[in-house]
Amino acid sequence: MIPMVDLQRQYQALRGEIDAAIAEVLESTRFILGPNVQALESELAEYLGVPYAVTCASGTDALHLALRAADLGPGDEIITTPFTFIATAEAIRYVGAEPVFVDIDPRSFNLDPDAVAAAITPRTRAILPVHLFGQPANMPALTQLAEDHQLLLIEDCAQSFGARVDGIQTGSASAFGCFSFFPSKNLGAYGDGGLITTGYTPAAERLLKLRNHGSKVRYHHDEIGYNSRLDEIQAAILRVKLRHIDRYNAERRRVAARYAQALAGLDLEIPHEDGIGVHVYHQYTVLTDRRDAIMAALQQADIGHAIYYPIPLHRQAAFDDRTRPPPSLPVSESVAGRCLSLPVFPELEDAQIDAIGECIRAALA
Ligand SMILES: *Cc1c(COP(=O)(O)O)cnc(C)c1O
């Protein structure tokens, strides 16, 4: 049995530190917006190289709060990718703005900058790339487009914690970076959690209020906000895990390199590193025309696998506005029909990767 992710092994390795960190919070009985959240936020700001890091309750909330802080709303168009988790575009709808889905690059699965350029209209206000599966989107090209057209660049970094472009962390060189600490993400809590990064002081102050009922001074509410705080227990756990994140991401890259050997010569496309940044392999996703056969073999061998994502967002009922047909985005549709994600986590052993390779080799023979 090989699972998609094995959080058990990571917990066992860190058990002493994590249990002590949780016990300390329980003893202190400070559970909301206390010393761990404050310390984590400065440690995250330092690690990511950003002036402000504001934690919140989830990655979905991070996106929502960033769009609120950017004052995006009805009438505004935000260009994004359809090949992502629904939260990316849900957040756009939460503020009443319009997600404009454009096609992806067939090899990196990230937003195609030419498709973004072609979709810009007078109502476009922002570009929202996702660093999908841990590989940075084409930030140099998207940054240039944002500058040329005076658009905000807001990054969905839910899958890219620790990924860098030219030595710079994803989420640190745009208006906002939005991260998730969902347990299976590269930096995962033991529950929900999220983070927004920004370099803009008024935006950071706005985010601090939005996550806490629109309040800076207790019982003074400047606007309608939310209850979207990271709790102290999760913050304490994340402080322990943050110290290990570079090693975890290096191990994920080791896993990917081993897969490349184990899958060599097979009739499938392994992940393509486009060299724009450093891929941190949140997922290891191959493309194959024989997905059903491979999935049946993996199922039989009790090896984890998953399709991320089977239906691109422009084809989801939730985004069907019933007034016009969904756009035709052939690359996203083709990739959704052929993608298959294999187990990847820092503790995955070379021998297990080789066994997964053998299983797939036999299925394709
Ligand atoms: C996980 C994820 C989110 C949402 O994060 P949550 O913490 O689960 O709310 C958003 N975007 C992408 C691309 C994700 O993978």
Short mmCIF file of all heavy atoms in Angstrom, two decimals, residues 57-63 81 83-90 128-133 156-160 178-185 191-195 282-283 309, ligand 1:
data_model
loop_
_atom_site.label_atom_id
_atom_site.label_comp_id
_atom_site.label_asym_id
_atom_site.label_seq_id
_atom_site.Cartn_x
_atom_site.Cartn_y
_atom_site.Cartn_z
N ALA A 57 -8.04 32.04 7.96
CA ALA A 57 -8.59 30.72 8.29
C ALA A 57 -8.41 29.65 7.21
O ALA A 57 -8.56 28.46 7.50
CB ALA A 57 -10.06 30.86 8.65
N SER A 58 -8.12 30.04 5.96
CA SER A 58 -7.96 29.04 4.89
C SER A 58 -7.36 29.72 3.66
O SER A 58 -7.32 30.96 3.58
CB SER A 58 -9.31 28.42 4.50
OG SER A 58 -10.11 29.37 3.82
N GLY A 59 -6.95 28.90 2.71
CA GLY A 59 -6.46 29.44 1.45
C GLY A 59 -7.58 30.10 0.67
O GLY A 59 -7.36 31.09 -0.02
N THR A 60 -8.77 29.54 0.78
CA THR A 60 -9.93 30.14 0.10
C THR A 60 -10.18 31.54 0.66
O THR A 60 -10.39 32.50 -0.10
CB THR A 60 -11.17 29.26 0.32
OG1 THR A 60 -10.86 27.92 -0.10
CG2 THR A 60 -12.36 29.76 -0.46
N ASP A 61 -10.13 31.67 1.98
CA ASP A 61 -10.30 32.99 2.59
C ASP A 61 -9.15 33.93 2.20
O ASP A 61 -9.37 35.14 2.03
CB ASP A 61 -10.34 32.88 4.12
CG ASP A 61 -11.71 32.44 4.63
OD1 ASP A 61 -12.59 32.13 3.80
OD2 ASP A 61 -11.90 32.43 5.86
N ALA A 62 -7.95 33.41 2.07
CA ALA A 62 -6.82 34.26 1.68
C ALA A 62 -7.12 34.93 0.34
O ALA A 62 -6.92 36.15 0.18
CB ALA A 62 -5.53 33.43 1.59
N LEU A 63 -7.63 34.14 -0.61
CA LEU A 63 -7.99 34.70 -1.91
C LEU A 63 -9.12 35.72 -1.77
O LEU A 63 -9.08 36.82 -2.34
CB LEU A 63 -8.41 33.58 -2.86
CG LEU A 63 -7.28 32.65 -3.33
CD1 LEU A 63 -7.83 31.29 -3.76
CD2 LEU A 63 -6.51 33.31 -4.48
N THR A 81 -7.02 30.96 -14.57
CA THR A 81 -6.94 29.66 -15.23
C THR A 81 -8.14 28.79 -14.86
O THR A 81 -8.59 28.81 -13.71
CB THR A 81 -5.64 28.92 -14.83
OG1 THR A 81 -5.74 27.55 -15.23
CG2 THR A 81 -5.41 28.96 -13.32
N PHE A 83 -7.84 25.55 -15.05
CA PHE A 83 -7.28 24.26 -14.63
C PHE A 83 -6.67 24.44 -13.25
O PHE A 83 -5.45 24.62 -13.09
CB PHE A 83 -6.25 23.78 -15.66
CG PHE A 83 -5.84 22.34 -15.46
CD1 PHE A 83 -6.78 21.32 -15.49
CD2 PHE A 83 -4.51 22.01 -15.22
CE1 PHE A 83 -6.41 19.99 -15.30
CE2 PHE A 83 -4.13 20.68 -15.03
CZ PHE A 83 -5.09 19.67 -15.07
N THR A 84 -7.54 24.42 -12.25
CA THR A 84 -7.15 24.67 -10.86
C THR A 84 -8.26 24.16 -9.96
O THR A 84 -9.32 23.75 -10.43
CB THR A 84 -6.93 26.19 -10.63
OG1 THR A 84 -6.63 26.44 -9.24
CG2 THR A 84 -8.18 27.00 -10.97
N PHE A 85 -8.02 24.23 -8.65
CA PHE A 85 -9.06 23.93 -7.68
C PHE A 85 -10.09 25.06 -7.71
O PHE A 85 -9.74 26.23 -7.92
CB PHE A 85 -8.44 23.79 -6.29
CG PHE A 85 -9.43 23.43 -5.22
CD1 PHE A 85 -10.20 22.28 -5.31
CD2 PHE A 85 -9.59 24.25 -4.11
CE1 PHE A 85 -11.12 21.96 -4.33
CE2 PHE A 85 -10.50 23.92 -3.11
CZ PHE A 85 -11.27 22.78 -3.23
N ILE A 86 -11.34 24.72 -7.46
CA ILE A 86 -12.43 25.71 -7.63
C ILE A 86 -12.25 26.97 -6.78
O ILE A 86 -12.72 28.06 -7.15
CB ILE A 86 -13.81 25.06 -7.35
CG1 ILE A 86 -14.93 26.04 -7.73
CG2 ILE A 86 -13.90 24.59 -5.90
CD1 ILE A 86 -16.31 25.44 -7.75
N ALA A 87 -11.54 26.87 -5.64
CA ALA A 87 -11.42 28.02 -4.74
C ALA A 87 -10.87 29.26 -5.44
O ALA A 87 -11.25 30.39 -5.12
CB ALA A 87 -10.53 27.67 -3.55
N THR A 88 -9.97 29.06 -6.41
CA THR A 88 -9.36 30.20 -7.12
C THR A 88 -10.45 31.10 -7.69
O THR A 88 -10.41 32.32 -7.52
CB THR A 88 -8.47 29.68 -8.28
OG1 THR A 88 -7.59 28.66 -7.80
CG2 THR A 88 -7.67 30.81 -8.89
N ALA A 89 -11.41 30.48 -8.37
CA ALA A 89 -12.44 31.28 -9.04
C ALA A 89 -13.65 31.53 -8.15
O ALA A 89 -14.38 32.50 -8.34
CB ALA A 89 -12.87 30.58 -10.33
N GLU A 90 -13.88 30.67 -7.17
CA GLU A 90 -14.95 30.93 -6.19
C GLU A 90 -14.75 32.28 -5.54
O GLU A 90 -15.69 33.06 -5.36
CB GLU A 90 -14.90 29.86 -5.08
CG GLU A 90 -15.92 28.78 -5.17
CD GLU A 90 -15.75 27.80 -4.02
OE1 GLU A 90 -14.65 27.64 -3.46
OE2 GLU A 90 -16.74 27.17 -3.68
N LEU A 128 -4.95 36.60 -12.13
CA LEU A 128 -4.82 35.73 -10.98
C LEU A 128 -4.22 34.38 -11.40
O LEU A 128 -4.95 33.43 -11.68
CB LEU A 128 -6.21 35.53 -10.33
CG LEU A 128 -6.28 35.19 -8.84
CD1 LEU A 128 -7.73 35.07 -8.37
CD2 LEU A 128 -5.50 33.97 -8.43
N PRO A 129 -2.89 34.29 -11.47
CA PRO A 129 -2.27 33.02 -11.84
C PRO A 129 -2.23 32.07 -10.64
O PRO A 129 -2.25 32.50 -9.49
CB PRO A 129 -0.85 33.42 -12.23
CG PRO A 129 -0.57 34.67 -11.45
CD PRO A 129 -1.90 35.37 -11.28
N VAL A 130 -2.19 30.78 -10.95
CA VAL A 130 -1.99 29.74 -9.94
C VAL A 130 -0.65 29.08 -10.25
O VAL A 130 -0.36 28.81 -11.43
CB VAL A 130 -3.11 28.67 -10.05
CG1 VAL A 130 -2.90 27.57 -9.02
CG2 VAL A 130 -4.48 29.31 -9.88
N HIS A 131 0.17 28.86 -9.25
CA HIS A 131 1.43 28.14 -9.48
C HIS A 131 1.11 26.65 -9.32
O HIS A 131 1.33 26.04 -8.28
CB HIS A 131 2.49 28.61 -8.49
CG HIS A 131 2.68 30.10 -8.49
ND1 HIS A 131 3.15 30.77 -9.61
CD2 HIS A 131 2.44 31.05 -7.56
CE1 HIS A 131 3.20 32.07 -9.33
NE2 HIS A 131 2.77 32.25 -8.10
N LEU A 132 0.55 26.10 -10.40
CA LEU A 132 -0.09 24.80 -10.29
C LEU A 132 0.88 23.66 -10.03
O LEU A 132 1.92 23.55 -10.69
CB LEU A 132 -0.92 24.50 -11.54
CG LEU A 132 -1.95 23.38 -11.31
CD1 LEU A 132 -3.12 23.90 -10.50
CD2 LEU A 132 -2.41 22.79 -12.61
N PHE A 133 0.50 22.81 -9.11
CA PHE A 133 1.27 21.61 -8.74
C PHE A 133 2.64 21.96 -8.15
O PHE A 133 3.50 21.10 -8.00
CB PHE A 133 1.43 20.64 -9.92
CG PHE A 133 0.13 20.18 -10.52
CD1 PHE A 133 0.05 19.85 -11.88
CD2 PHE A 133 -1.01 20.05 -9.74
CE1 PHE A 133 -1.15 19.42 -12.43
CE2 PHE A 133 -2.22 19.62 -10.29
CZ PHE A 133 -2.29 19.30 -11.65
N ASP A 156 -2.19 32.88 -6.65
CA ASP A 156 -2.68 31.75 -5.86
C ASP A 156 -1.48 30.83 -5.63
O ASP A 156 -1.08 30.07 -6.52
CB ASP A 156 -3.81 31.03 -6.60
CG ASP A 156 -4.39 29.87 -5.79
OD1 ASP A 156 -3.68 29.35 -4.91
OD2 ASP A 156 -5.55 29.49 -6.05
N CYS A 157 -0.92 30.93 -4.42
CA CYS A 157 0.29 30.17 -4.06
C CYS A 157 -0.06 28.96 -3.19
O CYS A 157 0.81 28.44 -2.47
CB CYS A 157 1.26 31.06 -3.29
SG CYS A 157 1.69 32.59 -4.13
N ALA A 158 -1.31 28.50 -3.26
CA ALA A 158 -1.76 27.42 -2.37
C ALA A 158 -0.89 26.16 -2.53
O ALA A 158 -0.73 25.39 -1.60
CB ALA A 158 -3.22 27.09 -2.64
N GLN A 159 -0.35 25.98 -3.75
CA GLN A 159 0.42 24.76 -4.01
C GLN A 159 1.92 25.04 -4.14
O GLN A 159 2.67 24.14 -4.52
CB GLN A 159 -0.10 24.09 -5.30
CG GLN A 159 -1.60 23.80 -5.22
CD GLN A 159 -2.12 23.00 -6.40
OE1 GLN A 159 -1.39 22.66 -7.33
NE2 GLN A 159 -3.41 22.70 -6.38
N SER A 160 2.34 26.26 -3.85
CA SER A 160 3.73 26.61 -4.22
C SER A 160 4.56 27.15 -3.06
O SER A 160 5.53 27.87 -3.29
CB SER A 160 3.72 27.64 -5.36
OG SER A 160 3.24 28.89 -4.91
N CYS A 178 -1.43 34.49 -2.06
CA CYS A 178 -2.45 33.82 -1.24
C CYS A 178 -2.06 32.36 -1.06
O CYS A 178 -1.96 31.61 -2.05
CB CYS A 178 -3.80 33.91 -1.93
SG CYS A 178 -4.27 35.63 -2.30
N PHE A 179 -1.83 31.96 0.18
CA PHE A 179 -1.33 30.61 0.49
C PHE A 179 -2.37 29.82 1.29
O PHE A 179 -3.18 30.41 2.02
CB PHE A 179 -0.06 30.70 1.34
CG PHE A 179 1.13 31.32 0.64
CD1 PHE A 179 1.26 32.71 0.56
CD2 PHE A 179 2.12 30.53 0.07
CE1 PHE A 179 2.36 33.28 -0.08
CE2 PHE A 179 3.22 31.10 -0.56
CZ PHE A 179 3.35 32.48 -0.63
N SER A 180 -2.28 28.51 1.20
CA SER A 180 -3.13 27.60 1.99
C SER A 180 -2.25 26.73 2.87
O SER A 180 -1.19 26.27 2.43
CB SER A 180 -3.93 26.70 1.05
OG SER A 180 -4.49 25.61 1.76
N PHE A 181 -2.72 26.50 4.10
CA PHE A 181 -2.04 25.54 4.99
C PHE A 181 -2.89 24.30 5.20
O PHE A 181 -2.79 23.64 6.23
CB PHE A 181 -1.73 26.20 6.34
CG PHE A 181 -0.83 27.41 6.24
CD1 PHE A 181 -1.19 28.61 6.85
CD2 PHE A 181 0.37 27.35 5.55
CE1 PHE A 181 -0.37 29.72 6.78
CE2 PHE A 181 1.20 28.46 5.47
CZ PHE A 181 0.83 29.66 6.09
N PHE A 182 -3.75 23.99 4.23
CA PHE A 182 -4.52 22.74 4.26
C PHE A 182 -3.52 21.59 4.53
O PHE A 182 -2.39 21.64 4.04
CB PHE A 182 -5.23 22.56 2.90
CG PHE A 182 -6.15 21.38 2.84
CD1 PHE A 182 -7.43 21.45 3.36
CD2 PHE A 182 -5.73 20.20 2.24
CE1 PHE A 182 -8.28 20.36 3.30
CE2 PHE A 182 -6.57 19.10 2.18
CZ PHE A 182 -7.85 19.18 2.71
N PRO A 183 -3.92 20.59 5.31
CA PRO A 183 -2.94 19.59 5.78
C PRO A 183 -2.06 18.96 4.70
O PRO A 183 -0.89 18.67 4.96
CB PRO A 183 -3.82 18.53 6.44
CG PRO A 183 -5.02 19.29 6.92
CD PRO A 183 -5.26 20.36 5.90
N SER A 184 -2.57 18.75 3.50
CA SER A 184 -1.77 18.07 2.48
C SER A 184 -0.92 19.02 1.63
O SER A 184 -0.17 18.58 0.76
CB SER A 184 -2.68 17.26 1.56
OG SER A 184 -3.58 18.12 0.91
N LYS A 185 -1.00 20.33 1.88
CA LYS A 185 -0.17 21.26 1.10
C LYS A 185 1.30 21.13 1.53
O LYS A 185 1.60 20.52 2.55
CB LYS A 185 -0.68 22.70 1.29
CG LYS A 185 -2.13 22.90 0.85
CD LYS A 185 -2.32 22.77 -0.66
CE LYS A 185 -3.75 22.52 -1.07
NZ LYS A 185 -4.59 23.67 -1.29
N GLY A 191 -5.24 21.14 10.28
CA GLY A 191 -6.58 21.70 10.16
C GLY A 191 -6.48 22.73 9.06
O GLY A 191 -5.51 22.72 8.30
N ASP A 192 -7.46 23.63 8.96
CA ASP A 192 -7.42 24.64 7.92
C ASP A 192 -6.57 25.83 8.34
O ASP A 192 -6.42 26.13 9.54
CB ASP A 192 -8.85 25.14 7.63
CG ASP A 192 -9.61 24.19 6.71
OD1 ASP A 192 -9.07 23.88 5.62
OD2 ASP A 192 -10.72 23.78 7.06
N GLY A 193 -6.03 26.53 7.35
CA GLY A 193 -5.28 27.75 7.61
C GLY A 193 -4.90 28.40 6.30
O GLY A 193 -4.88 27.75 5.25
N GLY A 194 -4.61 29.71 6.34
CA GLY A 194 -4.23 30.42 5.12
C GLY A 194 -3.38 31.62 5.45
O GLY A 194 -3.17 31.97 6.62
N LEU A 195 -2.87 32.25 4.39
CA LEU A 195 -1.95 33.38 4.54
C LEU A 195 -2.06 34.29 3.33
O LEU A 195 -2.15 33.81 2.20
CB LEU A 195 -0.51 32.83 4.61
CG LEU A 195 0.62 33.85 4.45
CD1 LEU A 195 0.75 34.69 5.71
CD2 LEU A 195 1.95 33.14 4.15
N HIS A 282 4.19 20.00 -5.53
CA HIS A 282 3.02 19.70 -4.69
C HIS A 282 2.32 18.45 -5.23
O HIS A 282 1.84 17.62 -4.47
CB HIS A 282 2.07 20.89 -4.66
CG HIS A 282 0.81 20.59 -3.95
ND1 HIS A 282 0.77 20.27 -2.61
CD2 HIS A 282 -0.48 20.51 -4.38
CE1 HIS A 282 -0.48 20.02 -2.26
NE2 HIS A 282 -1.25 20.15 -3.30
N GLN A 283 2.27 18.35 -6.56
CA GLN A 283 1.78 17.13 -7.20
C GLN A 283 2.79 16.69 -8.24
O GLN A 283 3.52 17.51 -8.79
CB GLN A 283 0.42 17.36 -7.90
CG GLN A 283 -0.72 17.73 -6.96
CD GLN A 283 -1.07 16.61 -5.98
OE1 GLN A 283 -0.68 15.45 -6.16
NE2 GLN A 283 -1.78 16.96 -4.93
N TYR A 309 -7.12 17.97 -12.53
CA TYR A 309 -8.51 18.10 -12.14
C TYR A 309 -9.33 17.54 -13.29
O TYR A 309 -9.03 17.86 -14.45
CB TYR A 309 -8.84 19.57 -11.90
CG TYR A 309 -8.05 20.10 -10.69
CD1 TYR A 309 -6.81 20.69 -10.88
CD2 TYR A 309 -8.54 19.94 -9.39
CE1 TYR A 309 -6.08 21.14 -9.78
CE2 TYR A 309 -7.80 20.39 -8.30
CZ TYR A 309 -6.58 20.98 -8.50
OH TYR A 309 -5.85 21.41 -7.45
C1 LIG B 1 -5.94 24.14 -1.74
C2 LIG B 1 -6.15 25.21 -2.74
C3 LIG B 1 -6.91 26.37 -2.48
C4 LIG B 1 -7.75 26.53 -1.25
O1 LIG B 1 -7.13 26.37 -0.05
P1 LIG B 1 -7.96 25.93 1.24
O2 LIG B 1 -7.00 26.15 2.35
O3 LIG B 1 -8.33 24.50 1.06
O4 LIG B 1 -9.16 26.81 1.35
C5 LIG B 1 -6.95 27.37 -3.42
N1 LIG B 1 -6.30 27.25 -4.59
C6 LIG B 1 -5.59 26.15 -4.90
C7 LIG B 1 -4.89 26.10 -6.22
C8 LIG B 1 -5.51 25.09 -4.00
O5 LIG B 1 -4.79 24.00 -4.33
#
